[in-house]
Amino acid sequence: MRVDIITIFPEYLSPLELSLVGRARNRGILDVHLHDLRQWTSDAHRTVDDAPYGGGPGMVMRPEPWWAALTEVSGSGPAGGRSPRIIVPTPVGRPFTQAYADGLAGEPWLVFCCGRYEGIDARVIDEWADDEISIGDYVLAGGEVATLVMLEAVTRLLPGVVGNAESVADDSFANGLLEPPVYTRPPVWRDREVPAVLRSGDHAAISRWRREAAVRRTTHRRPDLLTGIDLGRDGGPHGSGPHANPGTDPASTDPAGRVAQ
Ligand code: JD8
């Protein structure tokens, strides 16, 4: 996958050299190109912003540098080849979801336009943006962090990036439920015991416990995620299983009997 990122703060994207995304780049799975928007300005001060029409606080990003940047970057692909999918992170965009990330993971070429100030002149977005996407209902100062979030979520879905594809398949949100609690050695720590079923080797019982813990956690923290999910026979709060009551579950309680949420 090729990814071009246009920003006035290229150094803000340096985390893309690290860890999972960095490894994907070193292995040629991901080909990232950073572009400083100021290279498409023509004045001595390399100006990328101007006052907003209609007045009001702050500044707006000028259309000319963006138009020149997108013309050159989107034209830099293979001759006659495909055009990129152009994504503009913005607080007024459609919510970023795992399903959307799945869709992007199938694309050969993405371009992210990182705005700053009060945003990019609307004529650029109207002409060039394929997707306007928000990573959440809070206000950031620019699109760079949102681009980092989206690119990490997409990169880990690319074939060969996450060693064991299974761990991607049963991701949170992939099956619509939150992840169940996880444990590792030691079996007892500060008088807290790892649920016995997880050390039992009984894989059917383990997956049942994990499913029920996932349903319990989702019921408590994100009941909105449960709509439309068929929780099946003993998988869920209203199932007939011994754990039908999401409130109590001896499997993951701390010594004080508090349920591990
Ligand atoms: C791009 C400029 C700042 C936003 C005036 C503060 C995404 N979930 C999200 N929250 N905020 C953003 C985001 C914020 C941005 C830009 C994305 C470009 N700003 C502006 C409007 C109010 N300032 C985002 N994805």
Side-chain angles (χ1 to χ4, degrees):
M1 171 188 279
R2 175 177 168 136
V3 175
D4 290 86
I5 302 171
I6 306 170
T7 168
I8 61 171
F9 296 128
E11 61 283 3
Y12 221 113
L13 286 302
S14 50
L16 296 177
E17 289 148 22
L18 306 174
S19 178
L20 174 138
V21 176
R23 282 196 300 278
R25 295 173 71 179
N26 298 341
R27 293 163 57 202
I29 297 171
L30 193 61
D31 174 22
V32 176
H33 300 255
L34 294 183
H35 307 278
D36 184 338
L37 179 69
R38 293 188 192 279
Q39 69 186 281
W40 286 282
T41 60
S42 50
D43 65 306
H45 301 294
R46 310 185 89 202
T47 306
V48 294
D49 63 318
D50 201 344
Y53 271 118
M59 300 291 272
V60 172
M61 300 197 90
R62 299 174 51 230
E64 299 90 339
W66 275 107
W67 209 279
L70 287 162
T71 301
E72 183 169 330
V73 169
S74 65
S76 64
R82 300 175 59 109
S83 57
R85 184 159 176 180
I86 298 175
I87 300 157
V88 178
T90 167
V92 301
R94 278 187 300 127
F96 181 64
T97 62
Q98 191 66 28
Y100 177 75
D102 288 335
L104 289 189
E107 293 282 344
W109 185 11
L110 304 177
V111 171
F112 288 92
C113 304
C114 302
R116 280 273 153 177
Y117 307 98
E118 298 310 303
I120 301 170
D121 184 290
R123 292 165 288 186
V124 173
I125 296 175
D126 297 346
E127 174 67 22
W128 289 92
D130 294 309
D131 306 334
E132 291 178 74
I133 302 293
S134 168
I135 62 165
D137 297 341
Y138 39 81
V139 181
L140 301 170
E144 287 79 8
V145 169
T147 296
L148 288 171
V149 166
M150 290 191 256
L151 210 38
E152 179 165 307
V154 170
T155 301
R156 59 187 299 288
L157 300 173
L158 300 177
V161 170
V162 173
N164 146 357
E166 196 196 325
S167 77
V168 167
D170 65 6
D171 262 348
S172 263
F173 312 109
N175 62 4
L177 294 173
L178 298 182
E179 303 273 336
V182 292
Y183 302 85
T184 187
R185 287 178 295 198
V188 181
W189 181 63
R190 294 176 175 270
D191 297 334
R192 288 170 171 75
E193 186 176 351
V194 172
V197 63
L198 297 180
R199 294 181 288 121
S200 68
D202 175 343
H203 296 298
I206 290 168
S207 59
R208 209 176 24 257
W209 182 89
R210 284 177 170 159
R211 163 113 180 144
E212 287 155 6
V215 167
R216 203 173 20 262
R217 183 172 262 189
T218 309
T219 304
H220 277 92
R221 299 182 184 191
R222 294 291 310 279
D224 58 297
L225 292 175
L226 290 176
T227 45
I229 289 188
D230 159 23
L231 290 169
R233 193 175 53 70
D234 62 357
H238 309 303
S240 57
H243 308 306
N245 172 354
T248 61
D249 171 24
S252 62
T253 55
D254 63 18
R258 283 190 301 275
V259 172
Q261 297 302 341

